[in-house]
Amino acid sequence: MAYIRNPIPSDKKQILAFCQDTFSWGDYIHEVYDFWTHEGVLAILDQDGTPIGMCHGVTYPEEGMLWIEGIRVRLSHRRHGFAEKLVSHLERNAKESGIIHAYMFIESENTQSLNLAGKTGYNIKSQWNYFHTVSKKNSIVMTFDTVDFEELKNKEMRYVESWRWIPINQYNFEKLESQGNILCVKNNGKIQSLGIISESISFENTIILTIIFGTRDDIHKMILYAQNLSAEKNYSKVRILTEQDNLPEIDNLGKKFQFYLVEKKL
């Protein structure tokens, strides 16, 4: 009988063995597994002493949010409801601690995960586009305008932190603002374009740029800034996430992939 437990050191090799070809490009679990064992809840599904599945969940008490990621089940054990079992385990624990919403992020072509989300009560909240580019030192000088939380508080906005979509509230706004990570361009005193920079805590050498909205010229400026910052820090990766369909033409900009942010009220 399968049951859920905490991870043990011997799990890693066995889990990574069935987390290699999850997607057409491979998988990312090998990059984050060690970090996840110390952050949030890494739920391991065990059958007869062997790990056959895993799922990671992190709660954000200030936002009343559970983020679920990394749902994996060994190929030979799929279609037995094990993924639903893992998700329900994380949801139940989060709800008991006062969390009211759960979220996942799923590639638009990942029909299995989308079907799982639908079966477990999740609904599509928004569609996002993913692009990637390289670190690069640009000669252009870039400055951005200051912005106050009062200018944003009545707008529902999210930024990406370590591949998690976080609602912007006063607490994290002040943290982002103090670190100089809010990229704002104003026109006649009104916000014209807005982006957020974050450094991934679970993916190494990665700058993430969330483009919330903006003009093509301002977005181009934000991307150049992100490339510069990444190069200054000797990072190798720049990831760009936005709800906007198209970005301005820029050298070394990877093709677009579409994802869905899905939500469930607990």
Side-chain angles (χ1 to χ4, degrees):
M1 181 176 179
Y3 69 98
I4 295 172
R5 59 167 172 79
N6 294 326
I8 57 176
S10 60
D11 290 334
K12 180 178 178 180
K13 183 177 180 179
Q14 297 180 75
I15 287 174
L16 295 188
F18 64 81
C19 293
Q20 296 183 26
D21 301 312
T22 308
F23 308 104
S24 60
W25 46 267
D27 206 333
Y28 63 86
I29 299 299
H30 65 284
E31 296 184 54
V32 298
Y33 185 86
D34 289 338
F35 183 81
W36 282 1
T37 60
H38 301 290
E39 185 210 26
V41 176
L42 182 59
I44 304 297
L45 189 66
D46 184 298
Q47 188 173 69
D48 300 325
T50 300
I52 61 168
M54 60 160 279
C55 186
H56 187 245
V58 182
T59 56
Y60 290 79
E62 289 283 341
E63 292 80 10
M65 179 181 97
L66 166 67
W67 187 265
I68 297 175
E69 58 195 353
I71 305 169
R72 302 287 186 274
V73 175
R74 190 186 294 267
L75 181 61
S76 58
H77 290 75
R78 293 177 187 172
R79 301 186 183 279
H80 294 286
F82 290 143
E84 292 94 323
K85 185 181 181 75
L86 286 162
V87 169
S88 295
H89 173 79
L90 295 176
E91 291 174 346
R92 183 168 56 253
N93 289 346
K95 186 175 181 179
E96 290 174 356
S97 66
I99 299 299
I100 57 175
H101 288 94
Y103 295 89
M104 293 187 280
F105 195 61
I106 303 171
E107 189 175 1
S108 62
E109 296 183 359
N110 188 344
T111 54
Q112 288 186 332
S113 292
L114 288 171
N115 289 338
L116 169 65
K119 285 198 300 184
T120 51
Y122 286 80
N123 296 300
I124 293 175
K125 183 173 180 64
S126 54
Q127 178 178 299
W128 288 71
N129 299 304
Y130 161 75
F131 303 84
H132 62 87
T133 187
V134 297
S135 298
K136 181 181 178 183
K137 193 65 179 175
N138 299 297
S139 58
I140 185 171
V141 176
M142 289 159 281
T143 59
F144 295 93
D145 297 310
T146 59
V147 59
D148 189 88
F149 182 71
E150 293 296 316
E151 299 175 79
L152 304 177
K153 70 176 185 178
N154 294 323
K155 300 178 175 64
E156 185 180 355
M157 300 179 182
R158 294 174 183 270
Y159 74 101
V160 184
E161 180 183 76
S162 295
W163 215 251
R164 299 164 192 163
W165 270 243
I166 314 297
I168 298 176
N169 57 25
Q170 187 157 6
Y171 169 79
N172 55 44
F173 173 86
E174 290 175 354
K175 178 182 175 182
L176 291 164
E177 197 273 337
S178 68
Q179 296 170 341
N181 290 344
I182 299 178
L183 312 183
C184 177
V185 179
K186 291 183 175 179
N187 185 9
N188 294 324
K190 293 185 178 181
I191 300 174
Q192 174 175 277
S193 302
L194 188 68
I196 305 286
I197 286 282
S198 67
E199 296 182 45
S200 179
I201 58 174
S202 54
F203 294 90
E204 295 181 353
N205 301 317
T206 303
I207 289 286
I208 298 176
L209 169 63
T210 310
I211 299 169
I212 299 175
F213 59 85
T215 66
R216 291 181 67 83
D217 286 345
D218 293 344
I219 289 171
H220 185 260
K221 181 179 177 181
M222 291 178 192
I223 295 172
L224 295 181
Y225 178 85
Q227 288 181 318
N228 266 355
L229 183 62
S230 183
E232 288 172 5
K233 292 179 175 290
N234 293 317
Y235 289 171
S236 59
K237 306 168 187 174
V238 179
R239 305 295 186 240
I240 304 168
L241 285 306
T242 181
E243 291 186 81
Q244 298 197 187
D245 287 332
N246 297 302
L247 295 186
E249 292 185 9
I250 187 169
D251 291 340
N252 302 306
L253 185 66
K255 72 174 186 176
K256 177 173 68 176
F257 291 90
Q258 292 184 328
F259 289 79
Y260 293 119
L261 177 66
V262 299
E263 175 189 39
K264 177 181 179 180
K265 185 173 182 181
L266 299 180

